[in-house]
Amino acid sequence: MRILVTGGAGFIGGHLAERFVRDGHDVTVLDNFDPFYDTRIKDHTVEICRDRAEAGEGTYRLVEGDVRDAELVAELIDDVEFVYHQAAQAGVRPSVEDPRTYDAVNVDGTLNVLDAARDTGIERVVLASSSSVYGKPQYLPYDEAHPTTPVSPYGASKLSAERYACAYSEVYDLPAVALRYFTVYGPRMRPNMAISNFVSRCLNDEPPVVYGDGTQTRDFTYIDDVVGANVTLLSADAADGAALNIGSTDNIEILTLAEEIRDQLAPELELEFAERHDADAEHTHADSSKARELLGYEPTRTIREGVAEFVEWYRENREWYEPLVRAS
């Protein structure tokens, strides 16, 4: 298959590109190397993908550019069969300060992808959405029928993008699926996330910092499970036109997570607490039964199992990864 991964040097997009190359596909990656976090993590991802391609698996092509460049997007999509649209301006908190950039990248950029795709007979567009579209929970776990009332510009931009994708599927007969990710983590994850910070601080004999009182809960989803759901969409058409939750079906209090990482790595440390940001979600918890029904999706790691794997990976890659986490 010929596959375009936008944002394909980032965390999720990079893991998708690596998997597709490993599986023998011809992969084109579009990424603008936005320094939202240290781009050396992206450089490392690109190196891994190139090594896989040089080993004779699939092929890999990197294009440095932006999804806001409609002409470039159309040129790249004209040459592929599948589009995995992972490119986005990330970050809930920064979106409060600069909502227009989030609209330009996450909404207009997505429209560039969709407009190009509907004119080429593309096999499928798979869009990365987010649990941030739900906002404040009226009930948990979230199912896809839950009201979507995002409380941040980031969440609003992701909801707009997925609604456009589903509308294009309906009115232009463009096969498109939106996957609502629930706090994805794992190797090469963004360095400013709770799990990477907790692990880094504990390994450096510094207390984990919990924002708020720690009673907030998260459904953390391991990267391999997210990749698996995306790979299924190379052949499954049952979800075309739909938005699906992709979560672990489990959740954990942030305080409990911090304590368990602390107890495993540095039990003598005391936790520290800092002010919680208003835009941060209070709770997330996915009902992934729709993805199970349509895609056969089954998460393979509980949160505790996935965190243990991440800690092991962190130790093995500490030399290059830790300085980037520490600088975030």
Side-chain angles (χ1 to χ4, degrees):
M1 302 291 186
R2 301 187 311 277
I3 302 170
L4 171 65
V5 184
T6 70
F11 172 43
I12 299 174
H15 278 274
L16 287 175
E18 180 187 356
R19 171 65 182 270
F20 290 145
V21 171
R22 190 185 76 194
D23 288 350
H25 300 297
D26 298 318
V27 178
T28 299
V29 160
L30 174 65
D31 203 290
N32 68 354
F33 287 79
D34 176 60
F36 179 72
Y37 60 88
D38 198 311
T39 57
R40 285 176 291 178
I41 297 179
K42 291 189 173 187
D43 293 338
H44 194 80
T45 294
V46 170
E47 183 180 345
I48 289 172
C49 291
R50 284 176 170 159
D51 286 346
R52 287 203 177 277
E54 289 174 4
E57 297 172 339
T59 66
Y60 180 82
R61 174 191 175 204
L62 173 65
V63 177
E64 292 194 40
D66 200 295
V67 291
R68 288 171 288 188
D69 184 341
E71 185 175 341
L72 174 60
V73 168
E75 177 186 333
L76 295 177
I77 288 179
D78 190 51
D79 194 40
V80 299
E81 299 165 276
F82 289 85
V83 178
Y84 282 81
H85 181 40
Q86 309 296 304
Q89 189 69 32
V92 169
R93 296 177 187 177
S95 75
V96 176
E97 304 300 325
D98 186 18
R100 287 192 176 273
T101 295
Y102 285 76
D103 182 75
V105 177
N106 298 354
V107 183
D108 290 343
T110 297
L111 282 170
N112 287 339
V113 169
L114 295 172
D115 282 337
R118 73 184 176 98
D119 293 331
T120 62
I122 206 85
E123 292 284 342
R124 183 164 297 106
V125 175
V126 182
L127 170 74
S129 188
S130 166
S131 60
S132 294
V133 303
Y134 289 115
K136 296 180 179 179
Q138 295 189 12
Y139 57 85
L140 290 172
Y142 293 119
D143 57 27
E144 289 83 357
H146 188 284
T148 47
T149 54
V151 296
S152 69
Y154 171 78
S157 71
K158 297 301 281 186
L159 179 60
S160 296
E162 73 164 50
R163 289 298 87 204
Y164 273 120
C166 293
Y168 271 53
S169 186
E170 179 70 24
V171 300
Y172 301 119
D173 199 28
L174 171 66
V177 180
L179 300 182
R180 293 174 177 168
Y181 301 146
F182 280 69
T183 317
V184 187
Y185 71 101
R188 306 198 303 272
M189 69 187 292
R190 272 173 32 203
N192 59 346
M193 303 294 282
I195 292 173
S196 52
N197 276 326
F198 291 163
V199 172
S200 176
R201 292 183 69 85
C202 287
L203 288 176
N204 286 279
D205 296 320
E206 298 174 0
V209 178
V210 175
Y211 292 92
D213 62 6
T215 59
Q216 314 95 288
T217 61
R218 290 290 180 274
D219 189 330
F220 290 100
T221 313
Y222 196 67
I223 183 63
D224 288 3
D225 292 331
V226 168
V227 169
N230 278 276
V231 169
T232 300
L233 288 166
L234 284 173
S235 56
D237 62 4
D240 287 349
L244 304 179
N245 291 338
I246 301 296
S248 72
T249 71
D250 190 9
N251 72 346
I252 190 171
E253 280 195 352
I254 296 297
L255 179 61
T256 301
L257 176 67
E259 288 174 337
E260 292 192 2
I261 292 174
R262 185 271 315 273
D263 292 347
Q264 178 184 348
L265 301 179
E268 71 284 356
L269 295 176
E270 296 290 336
L271 300 184
E272 291 185 359
F273 294 84
E275 185 176 356
R276 175 177 168 265
H277 197 283
D278 289 341
D280 291 344
E282 186 72 25
H283 303 286
T284 66
H285 189 190
D287 177 344
S288 296
S289 57
K290 186 175 180 180
R292 182 182 307 113
E293 175 188 351
L294 297 179
L295 304 180
Y297 172 72
E298 292 288 350
T300 60
R301 273 84 159 180
T302 66
I303 291 169
R304 289 166 176 83
E305 289 169 342
V307 168
E309 287 193 37
F310 175 73
V311 169
E312 181 180 356
W313 177 87
Y314 191 111
R315 290 184 187 275
E316 292 173 353
N317 293 271
R318 189 174 180 178
E319 181 177 353
W320 72 267
Y321 182 71
E322 183 169 82
L324 311 185
V325 177
R326 304 292 289 171
S328 66

